[in-house]
Amino acid sequence: TATSTDPNYVSVRSLDFQITPAPLTGVTFSGPLSSFFSGLAKTFTANSAVTNLLRLFYERILGGSVVTLGAGEDPVNAGSYRVTAVSEDTNYQGSQTQTFSIQSASLPGITWTGPGSLVFDGLPKEYSAAASNVSGFTYSYEGRGSTVYPASSTAPINAGDYRVTATSADPNFTGSDFQDFTITPASLPALTWTEPGSLVYDGNPKT
């Protein structure tokens, strides 16, 4: 607003104007020390050359779609993500992003649980695997040495030498482990003999 100070004029004039925010620039992100899954949140901090009034949020990239994590929700599981820094300074507007990945961790040691007996009994000899924090496994059985048994998810029944391989089905862990085992033949059960009707020579086979 301008007001005349000249005694010969009495006047007041005003002009409206707006100062627009400057664009947010120079954002740098600092991430976690390790990019491998650990069960702990992988969080970032962000700083800008022009303001430190920044709000961060995370999105998970799933193929061609993007899912925004909820308020206060930080990335934990293996996968691809994007972190976005948004200006909350009224003098600066805009946002900047950075993509990052949480990689699958190596499979920890496996504990195997086998069948109650490895003696042939006509039943499949199944194994199961367990490892700390791993949600599940897929299994493959195959013959070893002279035992012919093509790789299959079905546990073997017959006597022979085999190997079972457990592969992590948990996306947070990668890797596999195997266990060799042998199904031994069962002892021959007691036999019941049936004799021929006559053991007197009559020119016929005695079976």
Side-chain angles (χ1 to χ4, degrees), residues 59-67 79-82 99-100:
E59 298 166 297
R60 185 163 187 180
I61 303 170
L62 298 168
S65 62
V66 176
V67 178
S80 297
Y81 295 88
R82 181 166 64 201
T99 58
F100 66 98

Side-chain angles (χ1 to χ4, degrees), residues 22 34 42 53 57 66-67 72 74 97 128 167 172 174 179-180:
S34 171
K42 304 294 185 182
L53 296 177
F57 68 90
V66 176
V67 178
D74 297 322
T97 65
S128 63
T167 302
N172 289 321
T174 182
Q179 176 82 13
D180 291 339

Side-chain angles (χ1 to χ4, degrees), residues 127-139:
Y127 277 75
S128 63
S132 178
N133 297 319
V134 181
S135 62
F137 295 88
T138 60
Y139 300 91

